[in-house]
């Protein structure tokens, strides 16, 4: 089998049917980070109003814009982290393929269709990008 590099699209943090499971991240981590940004925004708005630096409406607008920018940056950073974890664990599609039950996936694909086989593959390798999963299922 030849080594096929995958396209490097963002993946998650819970891959590997072979047993090496990195620390979980995903939606729970993103929600926790967002809650932290929201708490900072509330504190900033209160401080702006209490210190008299801005009226309530102005403080809310400023804090809202800052929160939007921080949330965007945080989301990009977390996505990059998930992608790097996936690429570290699975530099090529062949690395993913080694731990899979290809016969079972082929059976699901033939019986239920490609979309269901892709779902099953991503259940087995939760951090796998959709494009990689679809490509691997087509190659079975």
């Amino acid at each position: 089998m030849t080594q096929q590099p995958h396209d490097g699209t963002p993946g998650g943090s819970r891959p590997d049917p072979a047993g090496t499971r990195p620390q979980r991240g995903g939606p729970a981590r993103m929600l926790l980070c967002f809650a932290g940004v929201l708490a900072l925004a509330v504190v900033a708005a209160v401080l702006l109003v209490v210190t008299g630096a801005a009226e309530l409406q102005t403080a809310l607008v400023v804090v809202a814009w800052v929160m939007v920018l921080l949330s965007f940056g945080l989301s990009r950073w977390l996505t990059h982290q998930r992608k790097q974890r996936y690429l570290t664990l699975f530099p090529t599609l062949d690395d993913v393929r080694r731990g899979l039950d290809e016969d079972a996936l082929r059976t699901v694909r033939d019986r239920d269709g490609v979309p269901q086989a892709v779902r099953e593959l991503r259940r087995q390798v939760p951090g796998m990008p959709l494009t990689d999963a679809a490509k691997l299922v087509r190659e079975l």
Side-chain angles (χ1 to χ4, degrees):
M1 245 179 211
T2 61
Q3 295 286 320
Q4 299 173 358
H6 54 77
D7 61 2
T9 54
S13 60
R14 294 167 268 147
D16 195 8
T20 53
R21 294 215 178 255
Q23 183 179 12
R24 290 185 78 145
R29 183 176 177 192
M30 183 80 76
L31 185 61
L32 183 63
C33 290
F34 180 77
V37 170
L38 180 61
L40 286 174
V42 169
V43 168
V46 168
L47 284 175
L48 285 172
V49 172
V50 169
T51 61
E55 294 181 18
L56 179 61
Q57 185 176 4
T58 305
L60 290 176
V61 169
V62 168
V63 168
W65 276 107
V66 169
M67 187 176 169
V68 165
L69 294 174
L70 282 175
S71 296
F72 177 74
L74 185 61
S75 174
R76 297 284 297 175
W77 180 75
L78 290 172
T79 299
H80 177 74
Q81 294 297 315
R82 282 192 308 267
K83 176 182 175 180
Q84 289 307 110
R85 267 193 302 272
Y86 177 77
L87 291 174
T88 300
L89 288 171
F90 303 110
T92 67
L93 286 178
D94 288 337
D95 294 325
V96 176
R97 188 178 280 126
R98 281 188 203 110
L100 294 177
D101 182 359
E102 292 185 16
D103 292 332
L105 281 173
R106 206 173 289 113
T107 301
V108 171
R109 182 194 64 195
D110 295 342
R111 184 186 64 220
D112 301 328
V114 171
Q116 189 61 37
V118 169
R119 278 188 214 101
E120 176 59 24
L121 175 56
R122 292 184 80 202
R123 188 191 63 73
Q124 290 180 27
V125 187
M128 185 174 215
L130 180 60
T131 54
D132 285 356
K135 181 177 180 180
L136 210 152
V137 165
R138 275 186 260 122
E139 291 175 356
L140 288 175

